[in-house]
Amino acid sequence: MTKPLSLLFYAPLNSETYLSQLLAAYPYDIDEDLLHSLLTPNPYPHPALLQLIDYVRHTQCFLIAPSLAPDPSLHALFAAMSTLSQHNLSTLHTHQFHFDAYLHTHHYPLFHPYAYLPFDQVPCIDEIQIPKPCTLRLCEDHTPIPIELREQPSLMHHSFAPTHYFALSLTLHDCHGIVVAPRAQSALLIALASLYPLCTPSAHPDFYLCYGFRSIHKESSISYDCANKLLLGYHTSLDPAQGSLQECQTLLMSLYALHTLHKKDLSIHAAMLQIHQAGKAFHILICGANCALTSALLDAVIEECDKQAIPYTCIFENYGTLHLLDDTIQATGVQLGAHIALHALPQERMLKRLHASVLVQEGAKDQALLTPFSDEDRIRTFHPIDIIWYVDENQNKAIKRLNDIQAATTLIHRISCLALQDASCQTTLTELWQDYLHTILLNEIPFYFIAGKINHAPAHKHWMRLARELLETLR
């Protein structure tokens, strides 16, 4: 049976309106009287009814409502559905029919200079509650479309029905933006809200990201509206329900990287820890071209610190921004949560985090954890950089101190968040990175190259050995 990624239910919602909305979304014919028999004390386990219940049980359900408290009459309905499911499939006696997330929406007067586009009519998700650890089912990750830099925004030639979309207002450090995506991709928006702080839309956002808009042509582009000082990200596909979290994040972080580049800051794939060792506090920047590598090394260092009772503070994960301030380099974070690939964690470490995390499933495979990592104060604070660890699969020696800083000249194109296929931007990036390398040399910041391995059997032992050796360099 073909199932949608998610079912959306809209308030006001009681047991009868729930069944009506379910009937409208169900892709097969079913007798309405048979469906409403679920409201009776002892519903008959008709095969068609059991098939419908199994369909709901395996589909994520989101409630869109101004109040996040569901109607009490739904409890009796869900109990009847659970009883039939348990008798039919010998499943555990758990309450399987609940909403995976509650989404509170509000209409804000979203600023935009394009009168013909109905952004101000798109409801904005301003609060999300996930009642228990859940799995967000997303489309299978696919080869991303290269991001182009365009002079004229393609959005100018697009029209859309606001009732088919949701907006999300996000803060990325000092940058505020609006993400607009089809309601069919509500799970993707929930994933983004698990990583980035939500905020009330500002009078003038720094960017708009329109993701997953329907078009006969696939496109992924960024443009800058000079007249209105607004960055515009635009992504289209043949099917608005087909979206990738990694692809959306790449476009989102490219918008942010372009915003920071104009201020002479660098947004990179990186994590940061503060480790207290030998009576000193070391701010350690862990960067790399592959987020899975940095996550694997970061987790191993945290595990080793726990074993040795070494105090540490988690500052940020996945993405960071470098700032040149008075001949020093400072770092800030972007995300509150961490997006960690499952193959970067040993199974027992993953299970320990699962109770407080959201599991991301792409296609039929569990792919990543979205887990709490830091807080807004820590990611907004400017942190000095005392040591840099660069992890790369292509390194031969496990740990090597970089003596010639010029050997790191080309690293910026591996670690930068800016995924634009534009020669001018890449040239600006290279020139700015030279200034940062000069400051690293001037301040004698130790820079280590580290060989990382993910896809081999004793990977965890490899990371733990690296963690022990790296902690020894701090003594």
Side-chain angles (χ1 to χ4, degrees), residues 158-275:
H158 198 105
S159 61
F160 63 93
T163 53
H164 295 164
Y165 291 82
F166 282 136
L168 205 61
S169 177
L170 302 176
T171 299
L172 287 73
H173 192 248
D174 62 346
C175 180
H176 168 244
I178 306 292
V179 179
V180 181
R183 296 191 181 192
Q185 295 194 29
S186 295
L188 186 145
L189 293 174
I190 293 172
L192 291 178
S194 301
L195 296 171
Y196 303 93
L198 297 182
C199 65
T200 303
S202 69
H204 193 301
D206 297 296
F207 69 83
Y208 264 87
L209 170 55
C210 300
Y211 183 81
F213 280 39
R214 184 190 292 274
S215 175
I216 59 173
H217 303 291
K218 292 184 177 181
E219 179 184 330
S220 189
S221 65
I222 290 176
S223 55
Y224 183 65
D225 184 344
C226 297
N228 296 289
K229 298 181 178 179
L230 189 64
L231 279 165
L232 296 169
Y234 186 61
H235 173 276
T236 62
S237 63
L238 301 176
D239 184 355
Q242 299 292 316
S244 159
L245 177 58
Q246 189 60 54
E247 183 180 56
C248 184
Q249 271 198 286
T250 300
L251 189 50
L252 177 64
M253 289 307 302
S254 291
L255 283 165
Y256 176 66
L258 202 56
H259 170 81
T260 59
L261 190 63
H262 291 158
K263 300 188 297 180
K264 307 299 182 183
D265 298 331
L266 290 176
S267 294
I268 62 173
H269 298 280
M272 178 173 262
L273 277 179
Q274 182 189 51
I275 297 178

Side-chain angles (χ1 to χ4, degrees), residues 40-289:
T40 63
N42 297 301
Y44 178 71
H46 191 282
L49 187 58
L50 295 174
Q51 187 180 38
L52 170 85
I53 290 174
D54 191 55
Y55 172 87
V56 178
R57 192 167 67 88
H58 288 92
T59 307
Q60 55 193 355
C61 299
F62 304 136
L63 174 60
I64 318 300
S67 171
L68 299 181
D71 189 280
S73 68
L74 289 171
H75 295 304
L77 173 63
F78 292 162
M81 294 169 70
S82 291
T83 301
L84 285 178
S85 180
Q86 289 160 9
H87 289 170
N88 182 50
L89 299 172
S90 299
T91 55
L92 294 175
H93 295 274
T94 55
H95 210 306
Q96 304 167 61
F97 299 92
H98 56 81
F99 294 105
D100 295 286
Y102 301 92
L103 282 65
H104 180 272
T105 61
H106 187 81
H107 282 275
Y108 290 98
L110 299 178
F111 164 82
H112 67 96
Y114 316 113
Y116 56 91
L117 293 174
F119 282 124
D120 52 339
Q121 299 175 40
V122 177
C124 187
I125 300 172
D126 60 2
E127 185 179 356
I128 296 173
Q129 288 187 5
I130 301 175
K132 71 174 194 176
C134 75
T135 299
L136 291 177
R137 298 182 182 94
L138 304 175
C139 295
E140 189 170 2
D141 201 10
H142 52 264
T143 304
I145 307 169
I147 303 173
E148 301 176 18
L149 186 65
R150 297 198 171 183
E151 292 185 7
Q152 293 295 326
S154 300
L155 185 63
M156 302 295 190
H157 311 290
H158 198 105
S159 61
F160 63 93
T163 53
H164 295 164
Y165 291 82
F166 282 136
L168 205 61
S169 177
L170 302 176
T171 299
L172 287 73
H173 192 248
D174 62 346
C175 180
H176 168 244
I178 306 292
V179 179
V180 181
R183 296 191 181 192
Q185 295 194 29
S186 295
L188 186 145
L189 293 174
I190 293 172
L192 291 178
S194 301
L195 296 171
Y196 303 93
L198 297 182
C199 65
T200 303
S202 69
H204 193 301
D206 297 296
F207 69 83
Y208 264 87
L209 170 55
C210 300
Y211 183 81
F213 280 39
R214 184 190 292 274
S215 175
I216 59 173
H217 303 291
K218 292 184 177 181
E219 179 184 330
S220 189
S221 65
I222 290 176
S223 55
Y224 183 65
D225 184 344
C226 297
N228 296 289
K229 298 181 178 179
L230 189 64
L231 279 165
L232 296 169
Y234 186 61
H235 173 276
T236 62
S237 63
L238 301 176
D239 184 355
Q242 299 292 316
S244 159
L245 177 58
Q246 189 60 54
E247 183 180 56
C248 184
Q249 271 198 286
T250 300
L251 189 50
L252 177 64
M253 289 307 302
S254 291
L255 283 165
Y256 176 66
L258 202 56
H259 170 81
T260 59
L261 190 63
H262 291 158
K263 300 188 297 180
K264 307 299 182 183
D265 298 331
L266 290 176
S267 294
I268 62 173
H269 298 280
M272 178 173 262
L273 277 179
Q274 182 189 51
I275 297 178
H276 297 268
Q277 184 79 301
K280 297 180 180 178
F282 296 92
H283 289 82
I284 301 172
L285 185 76
I286 306 173
C287 56

Side-chain angles (χ1 to χ4, degrees), residues 232-351:
L232 296 169
Y234 186 61
H235 173 276
T236 62
S237 63
L238 301 176
D239 184 355
Q242 299 292 316
S244 159
L245 177 58
Q246 189 60 54
E247 183 180 56
C248 184
Q249 271 198 286
T250 300
L251 189 50
L252 177 64
M253 289 307 302
S254 291
L255 283 165
Y256 176 66
L258 202 56
H259 170 81
T260 59
L261 190 63
H262 291 158
K263 300 188 297 180
K264 307 299 182 183
D265 298 331
L266 290 176
S267 294
I268 62 173
H269 298 280
M272 178 173 262
L273 277 179
Q274 182 189 51
I275 297 178
H276 297 268
Q277 184 79 301
K280 297 180 180 178
F282 296 92
H283 289 82
I284 301 172
L285 185 76
I286 306 173
C287 56
N290 187 330
C291 281
L293 291 173
T294 58
S295 294
L297 179 58
L298 177 68
D299 187 73
V301 172
I302 288 174
E303 184 177 353
E304 189 61 31
C305 285
D306 288 335
K307 287 181 180 179
Q308 298 186 28
I310 299 173
Y312 64 89
T313 302
C314 300
I315 297 176
F316 60 78
E317 229 298 35
N318 295 137
Y319 304 106
T321 306
L322 305 183
H323 313 264
L324 272 178
L325 301 173
D326 299 328
D327 292 327
T328 65
I329 300 181
Q330 307 278 323
T332 56
V334 181
Q335 296 178 173
L336 291 177
H339 181 185
I340 304 175
L342 290 187
H343 64 270
L345 293 175
Q347 189 175 35
E348 62 181 45
R349 297 285 291 175
M350 184 271 288
L351 293 174

Side-chain angles (χ1 to χ4, degrees), residues 275 277-278 282 284 301 304-305 308 310 387 389 399 448 464-475:
I275 297 178
Q277 184 79 301
F282 296 92
I284 301 172
V301 172
E304 189 61 31
C305 285
Q308 298 186 28
I310 299 173
I387 299 172
W389 294 342
I399 300 174
Y448 291 91
M464 293 306 297
R465 178 174 56 81
L466 284 178
R468 288 190 293 272
E469 293 179 12
L470 288 167
L471 288 174
E472 281 295 321
T473 65
L474 305 181
R475 296 185 187 278

Side-chain angles (χ1 to χ4, degrees), residues 366-436:
D366 295 335
Q367 296 286 5
L369 276 185
L370 309 181
T371 188
F373 190 82
S374 190
D375 59 43
E376 288 200 53
D377 286 340
R378 286 205 294 272
I379 65 172
R380 291 177 185 276
T381 300
F382 288 82
H383 301 274
I385 298 175
D386 301 309
I387 299 172
I388 300 174
W389 294 342
Y390 171 76
V391 57
D392 195 327
E393 285 184 305
N394 298 322
Q395 297 302 316
N396 295 320
K397 193 174 180 180
I399 300 174
K400 183 178 78 171
R401 175 81 179 262
L402 188 67
N403 295 317
D404 180 10
I405 206 70
Q406 292 305 313
T409 301
T410 60
L411 288 188
I412 188 59
H413 301 293
R414 301 181 199 173
I415 65 176
S416 172
C417 295
L418 190 62
L420 276 177
Q421 304 297 315
D422 181 77
S424 175
C425 285
Q426 295 301 323
T427 300
T428 302
L429 202 62
T430 302
E431 293 173 352
L432 186 58
W433 178 238
Q434 288 292 338
D435 295 337
Y436 279 82

